[in-house]
Amino acid sequence: MIEMVKPKHGFWSQIRESVPAYLLVLPTFAVFCVFLYIPFVKALRISTFKFNGIGDLTDYVGFANYWRVLQDEKFYSAFWNTFKLIGVDSLFSIGTGFLLAFVLYKGIKLKRFFNTALFIPYLISMVVIGSIWRIIYDPTIGPLNQFLEAIGLAEWAQPWLSNEHTALPAIMLTWIWHTIPFNMLIIYANLMTMPGDFLEAAEMDGATPLQKLRYIILPYLLPTFGTLLLLTVTTDLKAFDMVWVMTQGGPGGASEVITSYVYRKAFSTQDFGTATAASVIMMLVMVTIMIVAQLAGRMGGKGR
């Protein structure tokens, strides 16, 4: 009998076999290094210096900038406002997106028209949206106050973006209006890929529409909801342009978010070291949330 000799695959032979794959990955890795890793390392270095944005880094202060940020009440206010935005956006944007997607999935007249029309707000620039809604909220020429006066609710009319109690809710409403279409589209796409056998089997067993929604559709969409929640958190942590156009974090910091806090520290007070330290803290929070979410998703998958 002729014995089959197994080829020996040593370490270097495996490396040689992987060379084409490494060459394909190299351009992407180079882009990440140039635009992500190297700037991040430089940001870490800047965060340990007292720096006004001009000249060389000479005044080393160690972790004093981080300590200054963690002692600043305005930072915690901006941090809390950011997570208020995340919570409200997650609840209403994903929830409303699901309702709209479910209605489109069930089928209505002019379905294609509504599918396109409902997605338009997501295609508009954040700066343009902020400018439009700033006019809507305007206390003198704004359509919102004019509408309230027309229906006999003039006492409700107020300077929405100049009132510390309504500035942040007004921004939240605008932000949700912008994010609903994306969530609706993703949920609708996943509903369209759901196997029809599930619903047909449920109908044969006599399941009501509510039971099909509760025991088939919602469980099927749970991974989608988890992904959208993670995207909402990461996107809302970076919210800046709309907030800055509408209120610039005012009045009195009532609508300040983390990104506007960082921008103000860097360009209004010329304290780039503290601003960079705040940015690093924000990034660490974002990475922690993503890691926890992934671990929770894996544990949930094993549990099922």
Side-chain angles (χ1 to χ4, degrees):
M1 294 179 64
I2 301 176
E3 294 184 359
M4 298 294 296
V5 179
K6 295 182 179 180
K8 296 182 179 179
H9 293 284
F11 175 77
W12 292 111
S13 62
Q14 292 180 1
I15 292 294
R16 283 194 295 270
E17 292 175 358
S18 303
V19 166
Y22 289 130
L23 291 176
L24 291 173
V25 173
L26 186 60
T28 303
F29 180 72
V31 170
F32 270 88
C33 285
V34 173
F35 294 102
L36 181 63
Y37 301 131
I38 294 177
F40 175 66
V41 173
K42 288 186 175 181
L44 288 177
R45 183 166 179 260
I46 292 174
S47 69
T48 59
F49 283 81
K50 186 177 181 181
F51 183 53
N52 62 0
I54 302 174
D56 298 328
L57 299 174
T58 56
D59 192 356
Y60 179 77
V61 295
F63 291 99
N65 288 330
Y66 292 92
W67 183 244
R68 189 177 296 111
V69 170
L70 294 176
Q71 286 184 314
D72 190 355
E73 292 183 0
K74 293 183 179 180
F75 173 76
Y76 290 104
S77 177
F79 197 88
W80 178 236
N81 287 341
T82 303
F83 276 89
K84 283 181 183 177
L85 175 63
I86 291 172
V88 174
D89 188 25
S90 301
L91 179 62
F92 289 98
S93 182
I94 297 177
T96 307
F98 167 73
L99 292 176
L100 293 174
F102 186 71
V103 170
L104 292 174
Y105 172 73
K106 297 299 290 184
I108 57 174
K109 292 182 179 180
L110 301 176
K111 178 178 178 179
R112 291 185 178 180
F113 167 77
F114 283 108
N115 197 2
T116 303
L118 291 171
F119 192 68
I120 288 176
Y122 187 73
L123 302 177
I124 304 175
S125 162
M126 284 286 200
V127 174
V128 175
I129 290 175
S131 301
I132 293 172
W133 280 82
R134 188 174 181 178
I135 296 173
I136 293 175
Y137 289 129
D138 190 276
T140 54
I141 64 171
L144 179 57
N145 280 351
Q146 292 179 0
F147 172 75
L148 292 174
E149 292 173 0
I151 62 175
L153 297 175
E155 66 275 7
W156 288 16
Q158 57 185 295
W160 299 95
L161 298 179
S162 301
N163 187 328
E164 62 179 5
H165 300 295
T166 59
L168 185 61
I171 291 176
M172 288 178 179
L173 178 62
T174 308
W175 188 271
I176 291 170
W177 178 81
H178 171 74
T179 55
I180 283 175
F182 176 78
N183 294 327
M184 177 199 72
L185 181 66
I186 298 301
I187 295 172
Y188 176 71
N190 280 270
L191 282 173
M192 296 302 293
T193 61
M194 183 172 61
D197 299 344
F198 295 167
L199 298 178
E200 291 176 3
E203 288 180 0
M204 292 178 62
D205 291 338
T208 64
L210 185 60
Q211 288 174 328
K212 287 188 288 185
L213 176 64
R214 178 180 177 184
Y215 295 107
I216 297 177
I217 297 176
L218 289 178
Y220 180 79
L221 291 175
L222 277 180
T224 304
F225 291 146
T227 301
L228 290 177
L229 180 60
L230 187 59
L231 289 174
T232 298
V233 172
T234 55
T235 302
D236 291 5
L237 279 171
K238 297 181 291 183
F240 171 73
D241 33 15
M242 183 187 295
V243 175
W244 194 256
V245 169
M246 295 180 70
T247 64
Q248 295 188 3
S255 62
E256 192 92 273
V257 291
I258 294 178
T259 48
S260 63
Y261 172 88
V262 170
Y263 182 88
R264 193 182 304 281
K265 277 288 183 182
F267 296 100
S268 296
T269 64
Q270 299 297 310
D271 190 354
F272 282 84
T274 303
T276 307
S279 300
V280 172
I281 293 173
M282 181 182 71
M283 187 216 64
L284 293 175
V285 171
M286 187 183 301
V287 171
T288 302
I289 292 174
M290 293 179 65
I291 293 174
V292 171
Q294 290 180 357
L295 291 175
R298 291 178 182 178
M299 293 177 64
K302 292 180 179 180
R304 290 193 298 268

